Short mmCIF file of all heavy atoms in Angstrom, two decimals:
data_model
loop_
_atom_site.label_atom_id
_atom_site.label_comp_id
_atom_site.label_asym_id
_atom_site.label_seq_id
_atom_site.Cartn_x
_atom_site.Cartn_y
_atom_site.Cartn_z
N SER A 197 -72.29 -36.90 0.03
CA SER A 197 -73.61 -37.10 -0.56
C SER A 197 -74.21 -35.73 -0.90
O SER A 197 -74.04 -34.78 -0.16
CB SER A 197 -74.53 -37.84 0.40
OG SER A 197 -73.99 -39.11 0.74
N PRO A 198 -74.93 -35.63 -2.03
CA PRO A 198 -75.40 -34.31 -2.46
C PRO A 198 -76.52 -33.71 -1.61
O PRO A 198 -76.69 -32.49 -1.59
CB PRO A 198 -75.88 -34.56 -3.89
CG PRO A 198 -76.19 -36.02 -3.95
CD PRO A 198 -75.22 -36.69 -3.02
N THR A 199 -77.29 -34.55 -0.92
CA THR A 199 -78.41 -34.05 -0.12
C THR A 199 -78.02 -34.02 1.35
O THR A 199 -77.72 -35.06 1.94
CB THR A 199 -79.65 -34.93 -0.30
OG1 THR A 199 -79.98 -34.99 -1.70
CG2 THR A 199 -80.82 -34.36 0.47
N PRO A 200 -78.03 -32.83 1.97
CA PRO A 200 -77.58 -32.76 3.36
C PRO A 200 -78.64 -33.28 4.34
O PRO A 200 -79.84 -33.27 4.06
CB PRO A 200 -77.35 -31.26 3.57
CG PRO A 200 -78.29 -30.60 2.60
CD PRO A 200 -78.34 -31.51 1.40
N ASP A 201 -78.16 -33.68 5.49
CA ASP A 201 -79.00 -34.09 6.60
C ASP A 201 -79.34 -32.84 7.41
O ASP A 201 -78.45 -32.12 7.85
CB ASP A 201 -78.24 -35.10 7.45
CG ASP A 201 -79.01 -35.57 8.68
OD1 ASP A 201 -80.13 -35.06 8.92
OD2 ASP A 201 -78.48 -36.42 9.42
N THR A 202 -80.61 -32.57 7.61
CA THR A 202 -81.03 -31.36 8.32
C THR A 202 -81.63 -31.68 9.70
O THR A 202 -82.34 -30.86 10.27
CB THR A 202 -82.06 -30.58 7.49
OG1 THR A 202 -83.19 -31.43 7.22
CG2 THR A 202 -81.45 -30.12 6.17
N SER A 203 -81.32 -32.85 10.23
CA SER A 203 -81.94 -33.29 11.49
C SER A 203 -81.24 -32.76 12.73
O SER A 203 -81.76 -32.89 13.84
CB SER A 203 -81.98 -34.81 11.55
OG SER A 203 -80.66 -35.35 11.56
N ALA A 204 -80.06 -32.16 12.57
CA ALA A 204 -79.33 -31.66 13.74
C ALA A 204 -80.10 -30.52 14.40
O ALA A 204 -80.78 -29.74 13.73
CB ALA A 204 -77.94 -31.18 13.33
N PRO A 205 -80.01 -30.39 15.70
CA PRO A 205 -80.71 -29.29 16.39
C PRO A 205 -80.13 -27.93 16.00
O PRO A 205 -78.96 -27.82 15.61
CB PRO A 205 -80.46 -29.59 17.88
CG PRO A 205 -79.24 -30.45 17.91
CD PRO A 205 -79.28 -31.26 16.65
N ASN A 206 -80.97 -26.91 16.12
CA ASN A 206 -80.51 -25.55 15.83
C ASN A 206 -79.44 -25.10 16.81
O ASN A 206 -79.35 -25.61 17.94
CB ASN A 206 -81.68 -24.57 15.88
CG ASN A 206 -82.63 -24.72 14.71
OD1 ASN A 206 -82.49 -25.64 13.89
ND2 ASN A 206 -83.58 -23.81 14.61
N LEU A 207 -78.65 -24.13 16.39
CA LEU A 207 -77.61 -23.55 17.22
C LEU A 207 -77.99 -22.12 17.58
O LEU A 207 -78.69 -21.43 16.83
CB LEU A 207 -76.27 -23.54 16.46
CG LEU A 207 -75.78 -24.88 15.92
CD1 LEU A 207 -74.53 -24.67 15.08
CD2 LEU A 207 -75.50 -25.85 17.06
N ASP A 208 -77.48 -21.66 18.72
CA ASP A 208 -77.71 -20.28 19.15
C ASP A 208 -76.42 -19.50 18.97
O ASP A 208 -75.51 -19.57 19.81
CB ASP A 208 -78.16 -20.26 20.61
CG ASP A 208 -78.53 -18.85 21.08
OD1 ASP A 208 -78.57 -17.94 20.23
OD2 ASP A 208 -78.77 -18.67 22.29
N LEU A 209 -76.32 -18.76 17.87
CA LEU A 209 -75.12 -17.99 17.55
C LEU A 209 -75.34 -16.49 17.62
O LEU A 209 -74.37 -15.73 17.64
CB LEU A 209 -74.61 -18.33 16.14
CG LEU A 209 -74.37 -19.80 15.80
CD1 LEU A 209 -73.87 -19.92 14.36
CD2 LEU A 209 -73.37 -20.42 16.76
N GLU A 210 -76.58 -16.04 17.60
CA GLU A 210 -76.94 -14.63 17.46
C GLU A 210 -77.59 -14.13 18.75
O GLU A 210 -78.63 -14.65 19.18
CB GLU A 210 -77.89 -14.48 16.27
CG GLU A 210 -78.67 -13.20 16.20
CD GLU A 210 -77.81 -11.97 15.99
OE1 GLU A 210 -76.91 -12.02 15.12
OE2 GLU A 210 -78.05 -10.96 16.67
N MET A 211 -76.99 -13.10 19.34
CA MET A 211 -77.50 -12.59 20.62
C MET A 211 -78.78 -11.78 20.45
O MET A 211 -79.56 -11.65 21.40
CB MET A 211 -76.44 -11.72 21.29
CG MET A 211 -75.25 -12.50 21.81
SD MET A 211 -74.08 -11.47 22.72
CE MET A 211 -75.06 -11.00 24.14
N GLY A 212 -79.01 -11.24 19.28
CA GLY A 212 -80.16 -10.37 19.08
C GLY A 212 -81.46 -11.09 18.82
O GLY A 212 -82.50 -10.45 18.69
N ILE A 213 -81.42 -12.41 18.74
CA ILE A 213 -82.62 -13.21 18.48
C ILE A 213 -82.76 -14.24 19.60
O ILE A 213 -81.82 -14.97 19.89
CB ILE A 213 -82.54 -13.91 17.11
CG1 ILE A 213 -82.48 -12.87 15.98
CG2 ILE A 213 -83.72 -14.84 16.90
CD1 ILE A 213 -82.30 -13.47 14.60
N ALA A 214 -83.92 -14.30 20.18
CA ALA A 214 -84.15 -15.24 21.29
C ALA A 214 -84.15 -16.67 20.76
O ALA A 214 -84.70 -16.95 19.69
CB ALA A 214 -85.47 -14.93 21.97
N GLY A 215 -83.53 -17.57 21.51
CA GLY A 215 -83.56 -18.97 21.14
C GLY A 215 -82.47 -19.34 20.14
O GLY A 215 -81.60 -18.54 19.80
N ALA A 216 -82.56 -20.56 19.68
CA ALA A 216 -81.58 -21.10 18.74
C ALA A 216 -82.07 -20.86 17.31
O ALA A 216 -83.01 -21.50 16.86
CB ALA A 216 -81.37 -22.59 19.00
N GLU A 217 -81.44 -19.92 16.64
CA GLU A 217 -81.92 -19.43 15.35
C GLU A 217 -81.21 -20.04 14.13
O GLU A 217 -81.64 -19.86 13.00
CB GLU A 217 -81.77 -17.90 15.29
CG GLU A 217 -80.35 -17.40 15.09
CD GLU A 217 -79.39 -17.76 16.22
OE1 GLU A 217 -79.77 -17.54 17.40
OE2 GLU A 217 -78.30 -18.27 15.93
N THR A 218 -80.11 -20.75 14.35
CA THR A 218 -79.28 -21.18 13.23
C THR A 218 -79.53 -22.64 12.87
O THR A 218 -79.32 -23.54 13.70
CB THR A 218 -77.79 -20.98 13.57
OG1 THR A 218 -77.56 -19.59 13.82
CG2 THR A 218 -76.89 -21.45 12.42
N THR A 219 -79.98 -22.88 11.65
CA THR A 219 -80.22 -24.24 11.20
C THR A 219 -78.94 -24.85 10.64
O THR A 219 -78.09 -24.14 10.08
CB THR A 219 -81.32 -24.28 10.13
OG1 THR A 219 -80.90 -23.51 8.99
CG2 THR A 219 -82.63 -23.71 10.67
N VAL A 220 -78.82 -26.15 10.78
CA VAL A 220 -77.61 -26.87 10.36
C VAL A 220 -77.97 -27.88 9.27
O VAL A 220 -78.86 -28.71 9.45
CB VAL A 220 -76.97 -27.61 11.56
CG1 VAL A 220 -75.78 -28.44 11.11
CG2 VAL A 220 -76.56 -26.60 12.64
N SER A 221 -77.26 -27.78 8.16
CA SER A 221 -77.39 -28.75 7.07
C SER A 221 -76.04 -29.45 6.94
O SER A 221 -75.04 -28.83 6.58
CB SER A 221 -77.75 -28.05 5.75
OG SER A 221 -78.99 -27.39 5.87
N ARG A 222 -76.02 -30.74 7.25
CA ARG A 222 -74.77 -31.50 7.34
C ARG A 222 -74.69 -32.51 6.20
O ARG A 222 -75.55 -33.39 6.08
CB ARG A 222 -74.71 -32.19 8.70
CG ARG A 222 -73.48 -33.03 8.95
CD ARG A 222 -73.48 -33.54 10.37
NE ARG A 222 -73.39 -32.45 11.34
CZ ARG A 222 -74.05 -32.42 12.50
NH1 ARG A 222 -74.86 -33.42 12.83
NH2 ARG A 222 -73.90 -31.40 13.33
N PHE A 223 -73.66 -32.39 5.40
CA PHE A 223 -73.44 -33.35 4.32
C PHE A 223 -72.74 -34.58 4.88
O PHE A 223 -71.86 -34.48 5.73
CB PHE A 223 -72.61 -32.71 3.20
CG PHE A 223 -73.32 -31.62 2.46
CD1 PHE A 223 -73.33 -30.32 2.95
CD2 PHE A 223 -74.03 -31.89 1.30
CE1 PHE A 223 -74.00 -29.31 2.29
CE2 PHE A 223 -74.69 -30.88 0.62
CZ PHE A 223 -74.69 -29.59 1.12
N THR A 224 -73.14 -35.73 4.40
CA THR A 224 -72.62 -36.99 4.93
C THR A 224 -71.83 -37.73 3.85
O THR A 224 -71.87 -37.39 2.67
CB THR A 224 -73.77 -37.88 5.43
OG1 THR A 224 -74.66 -38.13 4.33
CG2 THR A 224 -74.54 -37.18 6.55
N GLY A 225 -71.12 -38.77 4.29
CA GLY A 225 -70.39 -39.61 3.35
C GLY A 225 -69.17 -38.96 2.75
O GLY A 225 -68.68 -39.39 1.71
N CYS A 226 -68.67 -37.90 3.38
CA CYS A 226 -67.56 -37.14 2.82
C CYS A 226 -66.24 -37.91 2.95
O CYS A 226 -66.11 -38.83 3.78
CB CYS A 226 -67.42 -35.80 3.55
SG CYS A 226 -68.95 -34.83 3.60
N ALA A 227 -65.27 -37.54 2.15
CA ALA A 227 -63.94 -38.10 2.27
C ALA A 227 -63.38 -37.78 3.65
O ALA A 227 -63.75 -36.78 4.26
CB ALA A 227 -63.02 -37.53 1.19
N PRO A 228 -62.48 -38.62 4.18
CA PRO A 228 -61.90 -38.35 5.49
C PRO A 228 -61.30 -36.95 5.56
O PRO A 228 -60.55 -36.54 4.68
CB PRO A 228 -60.82 -39.43 5.61
CG PRO A 228 -61.32 -40.56 4.76
CD PRO A 228 -62.00 -39.91 3.60
N GLY A 229 -61.68 -36.22 6.62
CA GLY A 229 -61.17 -34.87 6.79
C GLY A 229 -61.87 -33.82 5.96
O GLY A 229 -61.48 -32.65 5.98
N GLY A 230 -62.92 -34.20 5.22
CA GLY A 230 -63.55 -33.26 4.31
C GLY A 230 -65.02 -33.02 4.57
O GLY A 230 -65.77 -32.75 3.63
N ASP A 231 -65.46 -33.10 5.82
CA ASP A 231 -66.89 -32.91 6.07
C ASP A 231 -67.30 -31.46 5.84
O ASP A 231 -66.52 -30.53 6.02
CB ASP A 231 -67.28 -33.38 7.48
CG ASP A 231 -66.57 -32.63 8.57
OD1 ASP A 231 -65.35 -32.79 8.70
OD2 ASP A 231 -67.23 -31.86 9.29
N VAL A 232 -68.54 -31.29 5.44
CA VAL A 232 -69.07 -29.98 5.06
C VAL A 232 -70.41 -29.75 5.76
O VAL A 232 -71.26 -30.64 5.78
CB VAL A 232 -69.27 -29.88 3.53
CG1 VAL A 232 -69.88 -28.54 3.14
CG2 VAL A 232 -67.95 -30.10 2.79
#
Side-chain angles (χ1 to χ4, degrees):
S197 300
T199 303
D201 178 357
T202 59
S203 64
N206 288 7
L207 305 174
D208 185 7
L209 306 180
E210 163 66 45
M211 290 185 66
I213 297 176
E217 74 297 312
T218 300
T219 61
V220 176
S221 299
R222 180 174 295 142
F223 292 85
T224 59
C226 307
D231 61 292
V232 177

